[in-house]
Amino acid sequence: MKNSLKKVLRGKIERKDKSKKIKISIFALLNVFFGMTSTASQNINLPKEFTQNVAVSGYENAIFDYDFNNDGTDEKVVVSYNEENNFLDVVVSIYTNQNGKNMLSYQITFDKKINILNLDEMPKLLNKVKEYYGEYSKNMASNETRHILIYDDNRNSKILFDKLKFDKHSPKDLDNFLFIKSSSEMLDAPNGKSITNLKYSEKPKLLFEMVSNENPQKLYYTEITKKASTNVNHIKEKKSKIKPKTFKGFVVDRGSNVIKRGFFWDKMVAKMDSVNKFIEEAINAGEDINIITEYSPLSHDVASKKDKFGNKNNQSIVAYTNPNKKGEIINVPDQTLFRILGEEKGMLKIETPFYGGPYYISKNQNNYKKVENINGAVNKFVAIDPSSQAEMLFERDPKTNKYKVVTYSFVTTGKDGSGSYETPHGAFLIAFTRGYMPFTRKAGPGDTPLSGRPDLTIGGVAKFAVRFSGGGYLHGIPVNTHFKGETALTDTAAKIGTYKESHKCVRHFDDQVGFIVDWVNAGSKIKDGDNTIPEEPVVAIVL
């Protein structure tokens, strides 16, 4: 049976008609997966009651019988699919027998489409339909239809997860997760009993979500392993001698108790590829890669509005959508990569890899400079996702154009407020690193005030600093000048991976950013006082 299916799959590659290749492949995969033969019609429609001729325009389908719960009664299964740009959109609909009629009970979709060049993904996803059936079918009401979205990982064939170079703070197998905003019960079933309580900042893995025509309130089916009653601080958890326990169950979305987050590897790779495509196009056109140089002290900042990318005007220059300085403007932060397309009406016409273009900036050579060490594709990236409070480091293999994950962790990014700023969004060339990062606090009697800011003084220091835009740095846990102890056990450290809170920078555990400094420097001998300037370009991308 298996050998004959392999022959079918091998034979379909030789067919010229792509739709036939897809159809044959899918039927073969379904045959392997369910151990059943399937019949097909051109389209699919999903009436409440099953008929043999279900159809809807734009989709093809496979229809067959399968006993999901091993009760001796087969369910009717319709796998519908359509193809666009080499990707399949797949929907699995399950009809169950109710009083002698087959009624639509479950409709399952997936959080990503299937690449037809990698149809091995399909059995993995279909297996989850079977694996989770016992969960999403619990406490089912008569005539109820449930809509389930199954989550896969956020990876693709361009991302390599070999041995990480540093993994002390890297959460394992947590591509999609819930961030618990307020205490929430994990239930054993929809409308079921509590099996554990999830506390603020815990992060259960997200397996699937579900809504129903009987109850539109969303449910998340999740998994979490924890010690005692919490896994909020992984440093303290590692010190605990309590045996860990794993829970699986449903969390009700009450509207304000949870947030969906994740490590979106595929999204980051797409951004990195776009940066390198931008660089390649510029070099092929004989254009230089430049950066904005607008590193004015934040003490001189004035209030400004955010642009459509979420950036304010602090430590940025204004870019216009036309050379007449009319219409929409954006704020282009310090260290932003860009290229010059020409001049119009005394303005520089520019384009960027993150904000696109063209835009127009004033022709002021004090505001930009050529990047001397970008002569081709960049191989080292720091990728930051403020919405998930997550950070990933990648190294690109120039031979394969694939990206190896070096390390990843949760972080704390900047928050707008009095004297603080959101971490700027964009693609930035890392300027330098050093071993320390001073920070300020409100000045009191006897304090030495900062120049130009009599209300502020040096309040303490954080270990390590990596400047990527203006006063935005990657750094360690800030503590006051008299602190003695382990910074990883401070309240500030416990907030990593929760909400935006820093003044503009990106906070890390000390050893995490210490590793990043060494990785960025890579033995560079270029010094400017206490600062080390990396010889190889490293680009920071902030979504």
Side-chain angles (χ1 to χ4, degrees):
M1 181 68 169
K2 289 184 178 179
N3 288 336
S4 64
L5 286 171
K6 287 181 179 178
K7 290 180 180 178
V8 171
L9 288 171
R10 194 180 302 116
K12 65 97 180 175
I13 297 175
E14 300 173 358
R15 296 175 179 265
K16 294 182 179 180
D17 186 348
K18 186 168 67 174
S19 66
K20 289 183 179 179
K21 289 192 290 184
I22 295 169
K23 187 183 296 185
I24 291 171
S25 299
I26 287 177
F27 292 162
L29 286 167
L30 291 172
N31 198 358
V32 172
F33 174 70
F34 289 105
M36 303 291 295
T37 57
S38 55
T39 59
S41 60
Q42 289 299 309
N43 304 300
I44 180 173
N45 193 8
L46 297 176
K48 182 64 179 176
E49 184 177 355
F50 176 82
T51 66
Q52 197 65 38
N53 298 316
V54 290
V56 67
S57 178
Y59 280 80
E60 297 189 65
N61 61 49
I63 303 172
F64 50 93
D65 298 333
Y66 188 79
D67 185 2
F68 278 94
N69 53 6
N70 298 314
D71 64 353
T73 301
D74 286 343
E75 285 74 43
K76 293 289 185 181
V77 184
V78 180
V79 177
S80 54
Y81 56 94
N82 74 2
E83 182 272 336
E84 184 177 0
N85 297 325
N86 290 327
F87 282 88
L88 289 177
D89 184 14
V90 178
V91 182
V92 178
S93 302
I94 302 173
Y95 288 78
T96 62
N97 189 286
Q98 299 179 30
N99 299 320
K101 296 181 179 180
N102 291 309
M103 308 300 290
L104 179 60
S105 299
Y106 314 103
Q107 187 172 87
I108 299 104
T109 55
F110 306 94
D111 71 326
K112 67 180 183 182
K113 295 184 178 182
I114 299 170
N115 189 334
I116 66 171
L117 302 178
N118 186 20
L119 283 173
D120 290 341
E121 294 177 6
M122 190 169 182
K124 182 176 69 171
L125 293 176
L126 289 175
N127 188 59
K128 292 183 178 182
V129 176
K130 290 181 14 177
E131 177 186 351
Y132 298 148
Y133 184 87
E135 301 301 330
Y136 59 72
S137 62
K138 286 180 176 177
N139 292 348
M140 187 74 171
S142 179
N143 292 320
E144 182 179 3
T145 301
R146 292 177 173 177
H147 297 269
I148 297 99
L149 174 64
I150 291 178
Y151 285 87
D152 195 21
D153 57 47
N154 300 321
R155 310 177 186 192
N156 60 38
S157 59
K158 292 198 66 173
I159 307 168
L160 303 177
F161 282 85
D162 298 332
K163 186 176 180 181
L164 300 181
K165 293 185 177 181
F166 189 82
D167 66 354
K168 183 176 178 180
H169 305 290
S170 303
K172 305 299 184 290
D173 192 24
L174 204 63
D175 284 18
N176 296 289
F177 61 92
L178 288 184
F179 175 77
I180 305 299
K181 295 172 61 179
S182 60
S183 180
S184 301
E185 299 299 321
M186 180 183 281
L187 309 177
D188 63 350
N191 301 314
K193 297 180 180 180
S194 175
I195 55 177
T196 191
N197 179 261
L198 299 174
K199 296 187 178 182
Y200 168 75
S201 88
E202 288 195 290
K203 303 173 183 69
K205 180 181 179 180
L206 181 55
L207 301 177
F208 67 80
E209 64 181 59
M210 181 173 74
V211 294
S212 165
N213 64 332
E214 295 289 322
N215 181 7
Q217 193 170 43
K218 188 172 291 185
L219 290 172
Y220 298 104
Y221 185 67
T222 64
E223 176 182 358
I224 191 169
T225 300
K226 58 182 182 176
K227 296 180 180 180
S229 62
T230 180
N231 69 344
V232 170
N233 189 317
H234 71 285
I235 301 297
K236 292 181 180 179
E237 288 296 313
K238 286 181 179 179
K239 295 177 180 291
S240 172
K241 296 181 179 180
I242 299 174
K243 186 177 180 180
K245 187 175 182 181
T246 298
F247 300 88
K248 287 186 177 181
F250 292 87
V251 179
V252 179
D253 187 344
R254 303 193 305 269
S256 60
N257 61 317
V258 297
I259 306 174
K260 286 191 294 183
R261 291 181 177 177
F263 284 87
F264 300 109
W265 315 100
D266 44 5
K267 185 187 297 184
M268 291 303 190
V269 165
K271 285 292 185 183
M272 293 185 292
D273 275 344
S274 69
V275 169
N276 277 334
K277 181 180 178 182
F278 173 88
I279 291 170
E280 180 183 6
E281 290 175 350
I283 291 174
N284 288 342
E287 299 163 347
D288 294 331
I289 300 298
N290 304 278
I291 55 170
I292 299 297
T293 54
E294 186 63 20
Y295 190 20
S296 57
L298 285 173
S299 59
H300 300 163
D301 186 40
V302 295
S304 62
K305 293 182 179 180
K306 290 183 179 180
D307 64 15
K308 64 182 180 182
F309 297 104
N311 293 325
K312 289 188 173 181
N313 188 241
N314 66 86
Q315 299 177 329
S316 303
I317 65 169
V318 175
Y320 303 86
T321 52
N322 67 70
N324 297 321
K325 298 186 178 182
K326 294 181 180 179
E328 184 181 25
I329 66 169
I330 67 167
N331 299 306
V332 186
D334 176 66
Q335 295 294 124
T336 293
L337 295 168
F338 74 97
R339 59 174 172 166
I340 299 173
L341 302 177
E343 293 185 31
E344 288 186 31
K345 298 183 178 180
M347 303 283 283
L348 292 181
K349 183 179 181 181
I350 70 165
E351 186 178 43
T352 77
F354 195 94
Y355 318 118
Y359 294 103
Y360 298 86
I361 63 174
S362 297
K363 188 179 179 182
N364 183 347
Q365 293 187 351
N366 293 325
N367 289 340
Y368 70 94
K369 68 178 181 180
K370 177 184 174 181
V371 179
E372 299 293 345
N373 63 347
I374 294 184
N375 302 304
V378 172
N379 295 325
K380 300 174 79 170
F381 289 88
V382 178
I384 302 162
D385 183 358
S387 65
S388 289
Q389 295 292 279
E391 179 183 85
M392 296 151 264
L393 271 64
F394 297 88
E395 287 181 0
R396 172 183 167 272
D397 184 339
K399 295 180 180 179
T400 64
N401 198 35
K402 293 186 177 183
Y403 295 88
K404 181 178 179 179
V405 179
V406 176
T407 186
Y408 62 97
S409 70
F410 292 114
V411 292
T412 298
T413 62
K415 176 184 177 180
D416 278 330
S418 177
S420 66
Y421 306 86
E422 188 169 335
T423 302
H425 307 273
F428 312 106
L429 181 68
I430 286 179
F432 61 76
T433 72
R434 64 170 176 251
Y436 61 92
M437 177 71 190
F439 68 92
T440 60
R441 62 170 173 80
K442 290 185 178 181
D447 288 330
T448 302
L450 296 181
S451 176
R453 287 295 298 270
D455 58 323
L456 296 177
T457 189
I458 297 295
V461 69
K463 289 185 177 180
F464 306 107
V466 181
R467 188 169 86 80
F468 63 92
S469 179
Y473 290 76
L474 315 180
H475 64 67
I477 303 298
V479 292
N480 65 48
T481 53
H482 306 294
F483 177 82
K484 294 181 180 180
E486 189 174 350
T487 60
L489 299 180
T490 62
D491 290 342
T492 301
K495 294 176 182 178
I496 285 180
T498 60
Y499 289 105
K500 300 175 183 180
E501 193 195 59
S502 80
H503 291 87
K504 186 172 186 177
C505 298
V506 182
R507 294 178 189 162
H508 304 68
F509 289 101
D510 290 352
D511 49 0
Q512 181 76 23
V513 72
F515 166 82
I516 293 172
V517 166
D518 290 340
W519 177 78
V520 169
N521 288 345
S524 174
K525 304 298 183 183
I526 305 174
K527 301 289 184 179
D528 181 11
D530 291 343
N531 302 330
T532 299
I533 300 170
E535 295 177 11
E536 180 181 357
V538 184
V539 170
I541 295 175
V542 185
L543 295 184

